[in-house]
């Protein structure tokens, strides 16, 4: 195993050519090896050689040798060799102004492997020591600023070989991933001074750019826009938010769409095989004799994660993108076939969300799921998207994977508004993640999204043709899970869990108070009460759970209430003694949201028990329960709960700051493992 050199490293033995077979003599060293061996032995072969650097950069770079020179040299020795490394780096930057393709190629290769190898070293003061080794602290501002400007000019120059431009993107990627924590990467400050956003986006739109390079550009935009985004006015984040060129927006969206499509193909292959029947499997086996089926490989985490973060920023802050989405400025799914008016980015993103919802507890899918829920939250509360999102006339087909829907429908017979598909995804997410392994703030995002959809329906009093009972069942299951958590010692998680439960109860309060104005039919309102009565033990369990947590602090107070009748929600009437006993139990303000739903359970449970006592020989059936519910609405007394449809608009800072810092760190860590420097020509 190679050992680190303590004094002037001697690395050439491992890279010399084989013996020439004549007396066991070694072949001559490569010129590149000989020169750089001198540099790393503390000598200066460029001294008194006026054309030394001009000639050196015409010699092919021996990448493995130069990498080993740096990796096998200790941090202390690198600092001792500062003068020589300064010369190599500054001369490389200086000759970037040259127009010779071969020389530019070798310079960029040298810079790439030099920086990549030095960034792997562990210095006590990373920013200071790196700049000191590369160009000296006193010269760093000028050298790095000029280097970025020169590299940007090369990207803009139409006469420069495309392979050189691709290697420049790779060099930028190496610099952007110098440290795992992006805000500790002091080199990115120079990219804030020299804004190359427009250059990167323009280059992204050029023809014949390899997909991998396009994804790297998208990743760079993600990293640059997240550098100190909460501490400074980040120019990349500002430019991304204000990007208005339809062609550039379309190019970014098309790349993200294709990325999601590739991911969906991988998911489909993953979920398809275990669910195939014996006949299908045998047919597939016979078909494999004739042709080789397509094998879809999973995309890297940094590729998918960066795309999701860019999509999030566009939905969150870019009004031009939202207008293009609404006005048909983006490609439709399936090229607009079957009358589809849904943009392909929405179709692929929703399909991606459907797969995630069914399997969100594994590995990086948890991060994907949280990111996807935040995007759905931005979509559901964006005023500019309201008509597009909720209009029952603007229907489309989107495949949402579930146990009931394993494969896409080729005929696309089921078409619904986007809000229906969103509810399907959220319902699926809740049902498939009830084991307590998902963080409660992720569940909170799902509940907040549902709340915004229901609040819009209440506000506009438009009826959504949706089967609500499955969603209600999932919400009660979530409340049951919250009540069963043993988290008394974890105040933060306890706080989050109770907040999720109360938010879910308030969604039911919206249905109870105003559901008759937006549910599809009166039967749905009856079915709501049926589900509430059926889940009476769940409701009581949550009530007891809150009652025992007397030390909880900083939970949002519930809306104010006034007494109303279920048959006429706007008319105040006095509470009966029965309901008064319930309201007296709610001295704890956290229990106020449970008042109406517990009243419903107690009221109708009494009526059902009364009917059973009078008909002891007859078992209750579902139709009979529904009839009893309808016949006893008039005697039910509830409180009108105000401001149930009000919510604070989503704001990233400070609530999601830690999450975004975490995801950027994970993206950088993943990309650093995959960066490879190779000879360009």
């Amino acid at each position: 195993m190679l050992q680190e050199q303590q004094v002037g490293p001697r690395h050439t033995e491992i890279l010399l050519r084989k013996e020439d077979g004549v007396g066991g003599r070694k072949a001559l060293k490569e010129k590149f090896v000989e020169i750089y061996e001198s540099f790393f032995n503390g000598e200066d072969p460029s001294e008194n050689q006026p054309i030394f650097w001009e000639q050196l950069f015409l010699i092919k770079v021996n990448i493995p040798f130069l990498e080993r020179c740096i990796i096998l040299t200790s941090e202390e020795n690198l600092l001792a060799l500062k003068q020589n490394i300064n010369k190599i780096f500054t001369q490389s930057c200086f000759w970037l102004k040259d127009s010779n393709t071969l020389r530019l190629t070798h310079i960029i290769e040298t810079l790439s492997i030099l920086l990549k190898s030095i960034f792997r070293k562990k210095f006590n003061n990373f920013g200071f020591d790196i700049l000191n080794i590369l160009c000296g602290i006193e010269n760093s501002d000028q050298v790095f600023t000029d280097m970025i400007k020169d590299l940007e000019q090369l990207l803009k120059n139409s006469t420069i070989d495309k392979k050189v431009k691709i290697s420049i993107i790779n060099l930028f990627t190496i610099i952007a991933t110098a440290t795992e924590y992006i805000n500790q990467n002091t080199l990115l400050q120079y990219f804030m001074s020299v804004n190359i956003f427009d250059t990167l986006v323009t280059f992204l739109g050029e023809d014949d750019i390899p997909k991998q390079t396009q994804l790297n550009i998208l990743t760079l935009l993600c990293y640059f826009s997240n550098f100190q985004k909460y501490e400074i006015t980040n120019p990349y984040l500002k430019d991304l938010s204000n990007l208005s060129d339809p062609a550039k927006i379309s190019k970014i969206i098309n790349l993200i769409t294709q990325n999601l499509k590739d991911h969906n193909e991988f998911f489909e292959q993953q979920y398809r095989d275990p669910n195939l029947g014996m006949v299908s499997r045998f047919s597939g086996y016979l078909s494999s004799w004739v042709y080789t089926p397509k094998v879809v490989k999973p995309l890297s985490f940094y590729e998918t994660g960066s795309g999701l973060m860019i999509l999030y920023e566009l939905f969150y802050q870019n009004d031009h993108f939202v207008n293009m989405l609404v006005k048909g400025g983006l490609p439709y799914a399936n090229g607009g076939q079957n009358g589809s008016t849904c943009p392909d980015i929405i179709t692929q993103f929703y399909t991606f969300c459907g797969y995630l919802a069914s399997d969100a507890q594994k590995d990086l899918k948890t991060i994907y799921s949280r990111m996807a829920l935040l995007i759905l939250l931005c979509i559901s509360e964006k005023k500019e998207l309201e008509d597009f999102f909720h209009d029952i006339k603007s229907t489309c087909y989107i495949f949402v994977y579930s146990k009931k829907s394993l494969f896409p429908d080729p005929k696309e017979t089921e078409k619904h508004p986007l809000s229906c598909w969103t509810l399907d995804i959220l319902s699926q997410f809740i049902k498939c993640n009830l084991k307590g392994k998902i963080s409660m703030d992720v569940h909170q995002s799902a509940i907040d999204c549902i709340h915004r959809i229901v609040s819009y329906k209440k506000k506009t009093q438009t009826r959504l043709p949706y089967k609500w009972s499955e969603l209600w069942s999932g919400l009660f299951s979530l409340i049951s899970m919250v009540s069963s958590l043993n988290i008394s010692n974890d105040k933060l998680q306890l706080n989050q869990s109770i907040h999720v439960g109360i938010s879910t109860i308030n969604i039911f309060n919206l249905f109870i108070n105003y559901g008759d104005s937006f549910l599809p039919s009166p039967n749905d309102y009856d079915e709501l009460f049926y589900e509430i009565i059926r889940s009476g033990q769940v409701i009581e369990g949550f009530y007891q759970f809150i009652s025992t947590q007397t030390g909880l602090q900083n939970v949002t107070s519930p809306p104010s209430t006034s007494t109303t009748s279920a048959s006429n929600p706007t008319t105040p009437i006095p509470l009966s003694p029965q309901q008064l006993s319930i309201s007296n139990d709610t001295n704890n303000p956290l229990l106020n949201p449970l008042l109406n739903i517990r009243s419903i359970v107690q009221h109708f449970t009494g009526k059902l028990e009364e009917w059973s006592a009078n008909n002891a020989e007859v078992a209750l059936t579902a139709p009979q329960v529904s009839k009893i519910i309808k016949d006893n609405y008039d005697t039910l007394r509830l409180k009108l709960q105000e401001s149930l449809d009000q919510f604070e608009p989503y704001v990233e800072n400070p609530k999601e700051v830690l999450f975004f810092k975490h995801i950027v760190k994970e993206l950088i860590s993943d990309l650093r493992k995959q960066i490879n420097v190779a000879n360009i020509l």
Side-chain angles (χ1 to χ4, degrees):
M1 184 175 179
L2 293 171
Q3 299 296 320
E4 189 178 81
Q5 305 295 313
Q6 298 302 319
V7 183
R10 305 283 182 178
H11 309 295
T12 53
E13 290 299 319
I14 58 175
L15 291 156
L16 289 176
R17 298 187 181 94
K18 295 180 181 180
E19 294 182 2
D20 61 6
V22 182
R25 294 175 302 175
K26 296 283 186 181
L28 291 175
K29 299 176 185 177
E30 294 179 20
K31 189 68 174 176
F32 181 91
V33 170
E34 184 179 353
I35 291 172
Y36 275 90
E37 183 188 38
S38 298
F39 275 125
F40 280 88
N41 283 331
E43 303 166 12
D44 185 3
S46 68
E47 193 173 6
N48 300 321
Q49 300 289 332
I51 60 172
F52 173 84
W53 297 102
E54 184 178 359
Q55 293 179 338
L56 174 62
F57 293 133
L58 291 175
I59 302 173
K60 183 178 180 180
V61 178
N62 189 326
I63 290 176
F65 174 80
L66 182 54
E67 183 175 26
R68 287 176 182 268
C69 281
I70 300 169
I71 295 300
L72 298 180
T73 304
S74 67
E75 287 80 356
E76 293 77 10
N77 283 339
L78 284 175
L79 287 167
L81 291 169
K82 170 187 135 180
Q83 187 173 358
N84 282 354
I85 298 177
N86 273 194
K87 281 191 176 182
I88 297 171
F89 182 76
T90 55
Q91 286 296 324
S92 297
C93 294
F94 175 79
W95 283 93
L96 283 172
K97 295 179 173 62
D98 192 76
S99 59
N100 184 291
T101 299
L102 184 61
R103 187 176 286 119
L104 283 173
T105 298
H106 294 160
I107 289 170
I108 294 170
E109 289 173 353
T110 302
L111 287 172
S112 297
I113 197 61
L114 182 67
L115 292 174
K116 178 177 180 288
S117 302
I118 288 179
F119 291 158
R120 290 172 62 181
K121 309 300 286 186
K122 296 180 180 179
F123 295 98
N124 293 329
N125 188 334
F126 182 86
F128 181 88
D129 288 338
I130 289 290
L131 294 175
N132 196 23
I133 288 174
L134 291 175
C135 55
I137 293 295
E138 66 282 358
N139 302 317
S140 59
D141 289 353
Q142 188 66 49
V143 172
F144 270 92
T145 299
D146 290 345
M147 181 191 74
I148 297 172
K149 288 180 179 179
D150 291 339
L151 291 171
E152 182 184 24
Q153 289 304 314
L154 292 174
L155 284 176
K156 291 180 177 180
N157 192 336
S158 59
T159 64
I160 298 298
D161 190 286
K162 194 142 291 184
K163 291 182 179 179
V164 175
K165 294 184 177 183
I166 292 171
S167 67
I168 292 173
I169 298 299
N170 196 43
L171 175 58
F172 284 156
T173 303
I174 290 171
I175 297 174
T177 57
T179 60
E180 285 191 349
Y181 294 95
I182 193 168
N183 287 352
Q184 294 178 4
N185 188 352
T186 54
L187 300 182
L188 292 185
Q189 293 175 350
Y190 300 113
F191 285 93
M192 300 300 108
S193 301
V194 184
N195 186 353
I196 62 171
F197 176 88
D198 192 60
T199 303
L200 290 175
V201 176
T202 301
F203 183 55
L204 182 66
E206 290 188 12
D207 297 329
D208 303 324
I209 302 296
K211 183 182 177 182
Q212 189 57 56
T213 302
Q214 292 179 330
L215 291 173
N216 285 345
I217 294 173
L218 201 66
T219 302
L220 284 173
L221 294 176
C222 173
Y223 293 165
F224 290 159
S225 61
N226 277 276
F227 176 70
Q228 295 185 353
K229 67 184 295 187
Y230 308 112
E231 293 81 19
I232 64 172
T233 303
N234 185 303
Y236 294 85
L237 186 60
K238 182 179 179 181
D239 288 347
L240 184 62
S241 303
N242 296 327
L243 184 63
S244 58
D245 188 329
K248 292 179 178 178
I249 293 177
S250 295
K251 187 64 182 179
I252 292 174
I253 292 301
N254 290 343
L255 181 59
I256 298 174
T257 302
Q258 185 58 49
N259 197 348
L260 291 172
K261 187 175 182 180
D262 292 343
H263 231 308
N264 291 338
E265 287 183 5
F266 173 72
F267 280 143
E268 181 181 352
Q269 194 174 76
Q270 244 190 344
Y271 290 112
R272 179 186 60 201
D273 294 342
N275 291 298
L276 290 176
M278 289 299 295
V279 175
S280 299
R281 292 186 184 186
F282 183 67
S283 300
Y285 171 70
L286 294 178
S287 300
S288 65
W289 292 3
V290 182
Y291 73 97
T292 303
K294 180 182 178 182
V295 178
V296 183
K297 296 182 179 179
L299 273 73
S300 298
F301 170 63
Y302 82 86
E303 296 170 343
T304 303
S306 298
L308 287 175
M309 289 194 71
I310 294 294
L311 184 63
Y312 161 81
E313 294 292 353
L314 291 174
F315 270 116
Y316 183 41
Q317 301 193 71
N318 192 303
D319 293 335
H320 301 287
F321 162 69
V322 172
N323 288 333
M324 286 181 65
L325 198 69
V326 173
K327 296 178 181 179
L330 295 172
Y332 291 140
N334 300 322
Q337 296 179 6
N338 300 326
S340 175
T341 58
C342 182
D344 201 20
I345 180 63
I346 295 293
T347 301
Q348 297 301 331
F349 173 67
Y350 271 51
T351 301
F352 177 75
C353 291
Y355 281 118
L356 286 179
S358 300
D359 193 22
Q361 300 177 26
K362 295 182 180 178
D363 305 326
L364 299 172
K365 291 180 182 177
T366 302
I367 295 178
Y368 290 154
S369 297
R370 186 167 179 180
M371 193 77 246
L373 286 171
L374 290 179
I375 294 174
L376 289 175
L377 185 59
C378 291
I379 294 174
S380 63
E381 74 172 32
K382 201 83 173 178
K383 290 186 178 180
E384 296 83 354
L385 285 173
E386 284 182 344
D387 292 338
F388 171 77
F389 188 68
H390 292 279
D391 189 2
I392 59 174
K393 296 179 181 179
S394 301
T395 60
C396 60
Y397 170 78
I398 296 177
F399 170 62
V400 177
Y401 174 85
S402 68
K403 291 182 179 180
K404 295 182 180 179
S405 179
L406 298 175
F407 308 105
D409 176 13
K411 296 182 180 179
E412 300 186 0
T413 53
E414 293 289 332
K415 295 188 176 183
H416 305 289
L418 278 179
S419 52
C420 287
W421 297 116
T422 306
L423 289 171
D424 276 349
I425 290 169
L426 297 170
S427 177
Q428 180 80 351
F429 175 83
I430 292 170
K431 289 178 181 178
C432 295
N433 295 280
L434 294 172
K435 296 182 179 180
K437 295 181 180 180
I438 297 292
S439 173
M440 276 298 153
D441 50 2
V442 181
H443 281 294
Q444 186 67 56
S445 296
I447 294 301
D448 288 346
C449 192
I450 295 172
H451 179 256
R452 281 150 177 74
I453 295 173
V454 177
S455 295
Y456 177 84
K457 292 302 172 185
K458 178 261 176 183
K459 181 179 68 174
T460 58
Q461 296 189 359
T462 54
R463 301 187 185 277
L464 185 67
Y466 185 72
K467 189 171 178 60
W468 292 99
S469 58
E470 292 188 8
L471 177 65
W472 294 332
S473 175
L475 292 177
F476 277 124
S477 297
L478 178 61
I479 294 173
S480 178
M481 182 201 73
V482 169
S483 304
S484 65
L485 293 175
N486 184 16
I487 50 176
S488 300
N489 295 328
D490 189 339
K491 295 300 182 183
L492 176 60
Q493 190 176 0
L494 181 62
N495 186 30
Q496 292 176 341
S497 299
I498 291 186
H499 199 275
V500 167
I502 291 175
S503 300
T504 307
I505 292 294
N506 277 332
I507 291 175
F508 280 108
N509 285 330
L510 265 171
F511 282 108
I512 292 167
N513 282 274
Y514 308 103
D516 57 340
S517 65
F518 63 81
L519 288 172
S521 69
N523 289 335
D524 290 280
Y525 196 69
D526 299 337
E527 193 170 0
L528 168 67
F529 279 72
Y530 184 93
E531 287 293 332
I532 291 173
I533 297 166
R534 193 167 66 90
S535 303
Q537 290 185 350
V538 173
I539 296 167
E540 191 61 27
F542 183 58
Y543 176 86
Q544 296 298 331
F545 177 74
I546 296 179
S547 298
T548 58
Q549 307 301 331
T550 56
L552 184 65
Q553 302 294 326
N554 299 324
V555 176
T556 305
S557 298
S560 58
T561 59
S562 61
T563 310
T564 64
S565 166
S567 58
N568 186 4
T570 59
T571 307
I573 60 174
L575 284 174
S576 66
Q578 188 180 45
Q579 278 75 52
L580 187 59
S581 64
I582 293 177
S583 66
N584 286 338
D585 290 338
T586 59
N587 294 327
N588 184 345
L590 295 177
L591 298 174
N592 286 344
L594 286 158
L595 177 62
N596 279 347
I597 201 165
R598 290 184 71 232
S599 295
I600 291 171
V601 172
Q602 188 174 36
H603 176 75
F604 287 106
T605 299
K607 298 299 181 183
L608 293 172
E609 290 175 351
E610 181 182 337
W611 188 94
S612 296
N614 296 332
N615 302 272
E617 298 179 355
V618 182
L620 268 172
T621 62
Q624 288 170 334
V625 172
S626 297
K627 184 177 185 305
I628 293 171
I629 291 172
K630 292 178 182 178
D631 292 344
N632 289 278
Y633 276 137
D634 291 341
T635 56
L636 174 65
R637 298 294 180 264
L638 301 175
K639 280 191 172 183
L640 177 62
Q641 295 176 310
E642 300 173 346
S643 305
L644 289 170
D645 59 338
Q646 300 300 309
F647 56 85
E648 292 185 6
Y650 167 75
V651 178
E652 178 185 318
N653 186 13
K655 184 179 179 182
E656 301 295 342
V657 169
L658 292 179
F659 169 66
F660 279 100
K661 287 184 177 180
H662 170 69
I663 190 174
V664 172
K665 174 183 177 294
E666 294 297 326
L667 292 172
I668 291 175
S669 298
D670 186 60
L671 179 53
R672 289 183 77 184
K673 299 173 187 174
Q674 303 184 50
I675 292 177
N676 182 41
V677 180
N679 292 110
I680 302 167
L681 300 176

